[in-house]
Amino acid sequence: MESQKPKSTIDFKLTPKAKSTSLLLLRHCILDKMPQNYGSTDLAKAQVLLNAYRYQYYRAITAQPENRRAYTYALNCPPSGFNALPKTKTCKNPKVCPWCFVRLRLVKAYRALLAVPVSAREGYQVVAWGRVTLNDEKLPFLRSNYGPHTWCEALVTVQMVVPFVNENVPQGQPKVQLCHSGIQIIPKDCEISKELNRYCIRPALKGKMFGKVTHDNIIKAMVAVLRLEWMALYRPHNLDAFEGLVNGFKRSQLIRISPYKADTADTAV
Ligand SMILES: [Zn+2]
């Protein structure tokens, strides 16, 4: 049985933003992973996602009425990539909110990778790697001074840890796992799989190359390691995992960027 829709839900009027980086990233990394029968346009899919996200918050409010106020604010977070009217505040919780995941994680990563000026891109390529780890005490981030960033002599390295619901885990095991992903700009002649194949990295990272440093290839690389099934998080039987994520990882920095520095290439000569 579905929970009651609270009166304070805002009915957004959504219009896709033209030439929006947010919409591009939302489409490729989130909406494209949704089943085809949810609609063929960005708007139709975003509406389905918005409803699913909201219904999970309604269920959370029913389970914990004391959180009604905070959760009502969160469920009225405006979808990214669209002009949403009336205007509301963002919830700033990218662990459960797909709109804030786009704003605070994907856009940030994309901009950091594109920060390499066109004149410095010659001789470099885009690569991505990833792995799934258990959600235990320690986050699986690799160090910027001893890890893929230095091993590959990268111009930029973006690492992200995304907690997600994996519905395929064997029964009895925790459903929330961590997707650890990296996207880098590294020299063309660097063999990513060879560099990542070190005994100190367990579980192992799987790497893939995407060619020249272009907008399109950066998006392809992000899709390869960051496209997760967000709808799983909003299924009624995953309410416990959702509630855990709403309040979890409070003090953790889940995106880490080793940014482009203009003099990196010069000093390497
Ligand atoms: Zn949000």
Side-chain angles (χ1 to χ4, degrees):
M1 209 171 72
E2 290 297 356
S3 309
Q4 283 296 303
K5 181 174 168 175
K7 287 197 188 82
S8 38
T9 301
I10 308 274
D11 246 330
F12 285 124
K13 178 166 172 27
L14 300 178
T15 331
K17 280 185 189 167
K19 292 184 186 165
S20 150
T21 300
S22 301
L23 184 56
L24 195 71
L25 293 167
L26 176 73
R27 180 188 303 143
H28 291 293
C29 294
I30 298 181
L31 301 181
D32 282 358
K33 181 75 181 175
M34 292 168 67
Q36 287 292 320
N37 57 359
Y38 285 158
S40 54
T41 62
D42 293 332
L43 182 61
K45 287 184 188 172
Q47 289 283 9
V48 172
L49 188 64
L50 177 64
N51 284 337
Y53 167 70
R54 288 179 153 181
Y55 268 102
Q56 196 68 305
Y57 262 122
Y58 299 155
R59 291 181 199 104
I61 291 171
T62 306
Q64 299 176 46
E66 66 277 17
N67 292 331
R68 171 177 287 271
R69 204 181 140 83
Y71 287 2
T72 303
Y73 266 106
L75 67 86
N76 284 320
C77 182
S80 48
F82 294 87
N83 289 311
L85 291 172
K87 285 197 184 308
T88 54
K89 282 187 183 163
T90 60
C91 74
K92 297 188 175 62
N93 193 345
K95 292 166 286 145
V96 294
C97 172
W99 325 122
C100 287
F101 182 73
V102 170
R103 284 184 196 103
L104 300 175
R105 300 280 157 77
L106 298 182
V107 171
K108 224 171 165 177
Y110 181 73
R111 292 206 173 127
L113 293 158
L114 271 182
V116 179
V118 176
S119 57
R121 293 180 192 174
E122 189 56 40
Y124 283 84
Q125 59 172 337
V126 185
V127 297
W129 42 258
R131 59 178 169 174
V132 171
T133 70
L134 294 176
N135 177 21
D136 47 25
E137 296 289 289
K138 206 172 166 292
L139 292 173
F141 282 108
L142 297 162
R143 284 160 52 184
S144 62
N145 60 355
Y146 184 75
H149 187 63
T150 46
W151 299 336
C152 301
E153 295 180 353
L155 291 183
V156 186
T157 299
V158 174
Q159 289 189 72
M160 250 189 256
V161 167
V162 187
F164 73 106
V165 170
N166 182 353
E167 293 192 307
N168 302 318
V169 293
Q171 216 174 1
Q173 282 187 21
K175 280 183 287 196
V176 174
Q177 295 190 322
L178 304 179
C179 166
H180 176 210
S181 309
I183 303 119
Q184 301 185 277
I185 310 287
I186 66 171
K188 244 184 201 166
D189 55 6
C190 175
E191 284 182 53
I192 186 76
S193 19
K194 203 172 140 196
E195 289 299 338
L196 296 178
N197 187 20
R198 301 192 183 211
Y199 71 90
C200 56
I201 302 187
R202 290 290 175 271
L205 296 171
K206 279 186 197 150
K208 208 177 158 197
M209 303 191 284
F210 293 88
K212 286 184 185 168
V213 184
T214 62
H215 289 74
D216 283 357
N217 288 341
I218 288 174
I219 300 245
K220 280 181 195 158
M222 291 176 72
V223 165
V225 291
L226 289 165
R227 183 149 81 182
L228 296 165
E229 213 222 328
W230 280 77
M231 291 296 280
L233 182 59
Y234 310 133
R235 294 197 177 112
H237 58 271
N238 290 328
L239 178 62
D240 53 342
F242 178 84
E243 287 175 318
L245 285 183
V246 168
N247 300 305
F249 298 94
K250 280 251 159 61
R251 279 186 288 269
S252 309
Q253 177 69 322
L254 297 180
I255 177 167
R256 297 185 188 174
I257 297 175
S258 308
Y260 174 71
K261 291 186 185 124
D263 59 355
T264 313
D266 298 337
T267 51
V269 174

